[in-house]
Amino acid sequence: MKVKILILLSVFLLYPVSVFAQWGVKGGVDFSTFFYSPSVSLGKYQTGFNIGAIYDIKLSKKMYFQPGLLFVTNGIVYEPNLLREKVNVNMYAIEVPLVMSFRPNIGDKMKLITDFGFYTRYGLLGKTKYDYTISGGDSYVIDSFDDYSRFDMGLNLGIGVSYLNYALVGTCQLGFTDVEKGVIGIKHQKNRISLIYYF
């Protein structure tokens, strides 16, 4: 009897999720940098990528909740001192975005996507390359996480369109946590373009 009750309860709980939720795969291009404020970038954008899975949970006719799990890149290209020392910071991380998505219809089978939410990220590995343009072109490489924090979280804003099982979304991310160890006020900033396919 207890087994039957558990089976019925499981079906009852999982039925709405199976009907009003769907998996998707996501991938695209990331442009990352560091900033003191959203209008003051510290260097050039580092071009990278994002790839992973998302899960759409339909809350109402136009509102969705979308968690995800992504493998992403972070970094920056900049010249931090008077020696014109070029620095390439490359970091690879696992990212978990948690987004509320409003999607009104704008045409036949087409929707406008407006996303608002947060993300958390944890760095897995990375290398920072220092190139000296004055001292004979010397260079050396260190682990990025010797200088930079592995953990990051921040704001996630996006806008895009969907058509049938496809969606194209542009995202802006602004970090809340400090990037550099022992330095206050430097945050992550990322612009992202992603293509999504829903199963």
Side-chain angles (χ1 to χ4, degrees), residues 31-45 75-76 78 119 121 148 152-155 172-180 183-191:
F31 304 96
S32 306
T33 188
F34 305 154
F35 72 95
Y36 276 119
S37 71
S39 60
V40 182
S41 176
L42 296 180
K44 298 178 181 179
Y45 283 91
I76 189 173
Y78 68 125
Y119 72 87
R121 228 175 2 236
Y148 302 104
D152 176 40
M153 66 179 300
L155 188 65
C172 176
Q173 294 182 335
L174 299 175
F176 294 157
T177 56
D178 293 325
V179 174
E180 195 167 352
V183 179
I184 297 174
I186 299 177
K187 316 291 184 183
H188 280 285
Q189 180 177 336
K190 182 190 291 284
N191 296 319

Side-chain angles (χ1 to χ4, degrees), residues 21-81:
Q22 62 183 145
W23 286 96
V25 291
K26 179 177 184 177
V29 182
D30 282 4
F31 304 96
S32 306
T33 188
F34 305 154
F35 72 95
Y36 276 119
S37 71
S39 60
V40 182
S41 176
L42 296 180
K44 298 178 181 179
Y45 283 91
Q46 178 77 267
T47 303
F49 64 86
N50 67 87
I51 187 168
I54 50 103
Y55 191 57
D56 257 15
I57 302 171
K58 190 173 183 179
L59 303 178
S60 68
K61 187 176 180 180
K62 299 178 181 179
M63 187 66 67
Y64 295 76
F65 174 60
Q66 185 186 88
L69 182 64
L70 307 175
F71 182 62
V72 304
T73 57
N74 289 322
I76 189 173
V77 179
Y78 68 125
E79 298 174 353
N81 58 44

